[in-house]
Amino acid sequence: MQEELVQGHKMNGENKRSSPVDVIASTSDYYDPLQFPIQSTSQSSESYYPPAKSMKIDDDLMEIEELQHFIKIPNEPSLAVSPPIDVMEEEDRLYKLATLYIEQFVNLNMRRRLTYANVSLSAMFDNPCVCPFDLSDMKPLSYDTYRYKNRNDYTMILDYVNRFPEFHLLNKSEKTVLFQTTAAVDALADPAYYSQVIYPDEPVFVTREAKYLKMDPMPSTELEVVPQDCNLEDITIYKNVVLMIRRQWKNVNEPLRKLKLSLAEFSLFKALAIWHYNYYKLQNTGRQISARQRDDIFRTLLLICEDEGYDDPILRVSEIVLAVGIVMSEVHELVTTMFEITVFANVDDPILKDMLKFQY
């Protein structure tokens, strides 16, 4: 992609295209245009934007041939001063797709901020909510008040996935599977991103409810002080909570932390994980939609990584694709762990019961 491409305005007499990181254009009839000064409520953009240099992975790096087998890499056309209009239109479509996924993630963060952070209503609209919490919102994680999810959490996630492109074309069972997958990916990926933004230089696990747990040294599964009213069930819950967080930190947080995903990269990474993992679980029409959306996200990532200054955008995208596999390998553990069965053993909420039945 050349810098001379058009996005509706000219600069210095030449056509100039802006990436969605700089100016978020209108994506579809769902949204009004949003302008994103990409910064957290408490952190500068340096906290979560990587340097313009690709992180090199020596081990288990996906080769280009393997990456092409996963998703066909589009042959980049030779862009002259006046490129074909169809090339411009295609890039414009992909930028709008990036905008849509960024907006959906930002809107999800805003709902979490309103629900869990100590914030006034007027402060909700100070800046786009690229991270729902800042340091002042953080409270220590306590096992006796810890809860995994409730109906409000699923309402947020449903609103997030319900506006995915072509989601409305899926049938009932396919929508259910995609919703369940989204909840699982959200539980694994979002805490890793929040930890990276809020504690960029400290090993601290952040939950989606504005709780934190220091991970150096690793928290013990044994209670240092056992309260008098603590029973065997309480101890079991505590052990399960700690074991789950320790596994999640090691297998998800640490690999994603090394990637230092930007807001745009993470928004697309999360959507790619959701669509890709469901490819083999949907019916024929749903599979076609999943493949189409997956390929579009991949092409969009190539544009975004080039805009963010990586010397080798394909290498950077291959690292992100590898991270998708890392996250999805943990989904099965998350949805089948005894932790949720223990915590929600007596729950009567039909939505929660359906989610707890979710298995791959």
Side-chain angles (χ1 to χ4, degrees), residues 3 10 20 27 29 35 40 46 48 74 77 119 131 135 156 158 183 200 203 241 254 257 275 278 289 298 324 352:
E3 285 294 322
K10 295 184 178 181
T27 57
D29 293 339
Q35 303 296 321
S40 170
E46 294 177 355
Y48 48 88
V119 61
C131 183
L135 283 173
M156 299 177 198
L158 178 60
V241 169
E254 288 187 341
R257 194 181 190 89
W275 281 117
N278 281 287
I289 292 173
F298 182 85
V324 170
L352 294 180

Side-chain angles (χ1 to χ4, degrees), residues 105 108-109 112 130-133 186 189-200 204 206-209 253 257 266 270:
F105 181 59
L108 175 62
N109 288 341
R112 283 190 174 136
V130 299
C131 183
F133 317 120
D186 183 270
D190 287 30
Y193 179 76
Y194 298 156
S195 300
Q196 168 196 323
V197 173
I198 301 172
Y199 297 98
V204 179
V206 175
T207 74
R208 293 160 300 169
E209 299 83 29
N253 283 53
R257 194 181 190 89
F266 180 80
K270 185 178 178 181

Side-chain angles (χ1 to χ4, degrees), residues 6-284:
V6 175
Q7 167 111 345
H9 62 280
K10 295 184 178 181
M11 298 179 65
N12 298 326
E14 296 182 353
N15 292 333
K16 182 74 172 179
R17 178 189 292 279
S18 298
S19 101
V21 173
D22 301 317
V23 178
I24 302 294
S26 178
T27 57
S28 66
D29 293 339
Y30 289 133
Y31 300 103
D32 294 327
L34 291 179
Q35 303 296 321
F36 283 84
I38 307 299
Q39 63 180 27
S40 170
T41 55
S42 63
Q43 304 287 332
S44 68
S45 60
E46 294 177 355
S47 298
Y48 48 88
Y49 273 96
K53 181 178 180 181
S54 180
M55 182 188 74
K56 305 298 182 182
I57 297 180
D58 296 326
D59 300 328
D60 299 327
L61 179 63
M62 182 180 289
E63 298 295 334
I64 296 303
E65 292 79 11
E66 186 180 354
L67 192 61
Q68 288 175 321
H69 179 72
F70 171 72
I71 299 176
K72 183 178 179 181
I73 297 177
N75 294 323
E76 186 173 6
S78 177
L79 299 177
V81 176
S82 299
I85 188 65
D86 58 322
V87 175
M88 294 167 54
E89 289 178 349
E90 174 64 8
E91 287 204 346
D92 184 65
R93 182 181 71 86
L94 294 178
Y95 275 121
K96 288 182 178 180
L97 182 67
T99 302
L100 186 148
Y101 284 121
I102 292 172
E103 285 181 345
Q104 281 302 95
F105 181 59
V106 167
N107 290 337
L108 175 62
N109 288 341
M110 182 175 290
R111 289 173 175 82
R112 283 190 174 136
R113 182 162 181 77
L114 182 63
T115 304
Y116 298 117
N118 184 20
V119 61
S120 64
L121 186 60
S122 60
M124 287 291 300
F125 306 101
D126 288 344
N127 294 296
C129 194
V130 299
C131 183
F133 317 120
D134 54 33
L135 283 173
S136 64
D137 297 315
M138 293 292 99
K139 297 180 180 179
L141 178 66
S142 175
Y143 84 93
D144 54 342
T145 59
Y146 182 81
R147 52 151 207 79
Y148 193 63
K149 283 183 182 176
N150 60 22
R151 185 179 283 261
N152 287 337
D153 295 311
Y154 289 118
T155 301
M156 299 177 198
I157 294 171
L158 178 60
D159 186 70
Y160 166 77
V161 73
N162 197 41
R163 296 191 180 185
F164 273 26
E166 298 189 284
F167 180 81
H168 64 287
L169 299 179
L170 300 174
N171 62 37
K172 178 181 177 180
S173 62
E174 291 172 331
K175 288 179 179 178
T176 301
V177 169
L178 204 70
F179 172 45
Q180 292 170 326
T181 303
T182 303
V185 172
D186 183 270
L188 291 166
D190 287 30
Y193 179 76
Y194 298 156
S195 300
Q196 168 196 323
V197 173
I198 301 172
Y199 297 98
D201 301 316
E202 299 179 60
V204 179
F205 182 88
V206 175
T207 74
R208 293 160 300 169
E209 299 83 29
K211 304 296 176 61
Y212 75 90
L213 182 64
K214 294 183 178 181
M215 304 303 293
D216 187 15
M218 281 287 187
S220 173
T221 58
E222 302 296 331
L223 285 171
E224 295 182 0
V225 178
V226 179
Q228 292 182 352
D229 58 348
C230 183
N231 54 39
L232 181 60
E233 182 180 359
D234 293 331
I235 296 175
T236 302
I237 291 175
Y238 172 78
K239 288 184 177 180
N240 285 326
V241 169
V242 173
L243 286 172
M244 183 195 70
I245 292 177
R246 284 170 53 166
R247 179 186 177 99
Q248 188 170 337
W249 176 262
K250 179 180 179 181
N251 295 345
V252 179
N253 283 53
E254 288 187 341
L256 292 185
R257 194 181 190 89
K258 293 177 182 178
L259 283 176
K260 297 182 180 179
L261 296 170
S262 67
L263 172 67
E265 286 177 327
F266 180 80
S267 300
L268 292 167
F269 157 80
K270 185 178 178 181
L272 179 60
I274 294 167
W275 281 117
H276 174 58
Y277 198 79
N278 281 287
Y279 175 77
Y280 295 103
K281 307 188 180 301
L282 303 178
Q283 300 172 18
N284 289 337

Side-chain angles (χ1 to χ4, degrees), residues 278-313:
N278 281 287
Y279 175 77
Y280 295 103
K281 307 188 180 301
L282 303 178
Q283 300 172 18
N284 289 337
T285 301
R287 188 173 296 180
Q288 294 174 12
I289 292 173
S290 176
R292 188 160 53 244
Q293 294 303 321
R294 181 191 66 183
D295 293 358
D296 279 351
I297 293 172
F298 182 85
R299 290 172 171 83
T300 305
L301 275 169
L302 287 174
L303 293 178
I304 295 300
C305 290
E306 185 170 351
D307 284 349
E308 294 191 352
Y310 288 99
D311 297 332
D312 191 344

